[in-house]
Amino acid sequence: MTNLFAAELINAEPLWRTIDQPVVLKALVAGVGVVLIAWELWWFLGRHGGGVAARDGEAGVQEITITVDGGYAPSRIKVKAGRPLRLAFHRIDPSGCVAQVIFPDFHKTLDLPLDATTSLELPPTEAGVYPFHCGMNMVRGVLEVVDQSATRAS
């Protein structure tokens, strides 16, 4: 009985059939796929906007408040080189991913309590681009330190 059932399965027609698609349709699907991949790479890895400049605070310290809610707002911060900086992070996102911010180039880590503002002070820094990210490296931001002479020229 078992051999008969196996023989029927082997000789049976498949439950599906392959339909060859036109080349134009295949090319269209592949093209849309490439466009979507490029858009996704731009969205997650691309540079978005020119950044927000920190304001001048007391005693020459530059200050900016960053809201942490599913990401950093603003995520790109422009500051002047050679001047101290105070970053105030206000976390309203309850997810554990954004409970910490890490500045690898400065060897600094800051825990961000929920519904609170926590500050991080950075010393005067040379011009350059310094990334920062959450504890899981999923949420990212950039600290762009520009030369003061370049700031005056623009």
Side-chain angles (χ1 to χ4, degrees), residues 7 37 40 46 49 52 57 72 144:
I37 290 169
E40 185 175 336
V52 175
Y72 300 117
E144 185 177 349

Side-chain angles (χ1 to χ4, degrees), residues 44-108:
F44 287 106
L45 303 176
R47 182 176 175 175
H48 302 286
V52 175
R55 67 183 181 283
D56 293 330
E58 58 188 55
V61 176
Q62 302 173 86
E63 299 176 332
I64 191 162
T65 300
I66 301 160
T67 303
V68 182
D69 186 17
Y72 300 117
S75 63
R76 187 170 197 85
I77 302 154
K78 283 188 174 182
V79 298
K80 298 173 188 168
R83 298 189 44 205
L85 172 64
R86 181 178 302 124
L87 300 169
F89 288 89
H90 181 72
R91 178 178 165 220
I92 56 177
D93 186 343
S95 70
C97 178
V98 292
Q100 189 177 58
V101 64
I102 300 170
F103 287 82
D105 293 320
F106 299 104
H107 305 288
K108 299 257 184 190

Side-chain angles (χ1 to χ4, degrees), residues 102-131:
I102 300 170
F103 287 82
D105 293 320
F106 299 104
H107 305 288
K108 299 257 184 190
T109 301
L110 181 66
D111 290 327
L112 305 174
L114 185 60
D115 294 324
T117 301
T118 312
S119 293
L120 174 68
E121 297 200 13
L122 297 175
T125 308
E126 294 180 9
V129 176
Y130 303 96

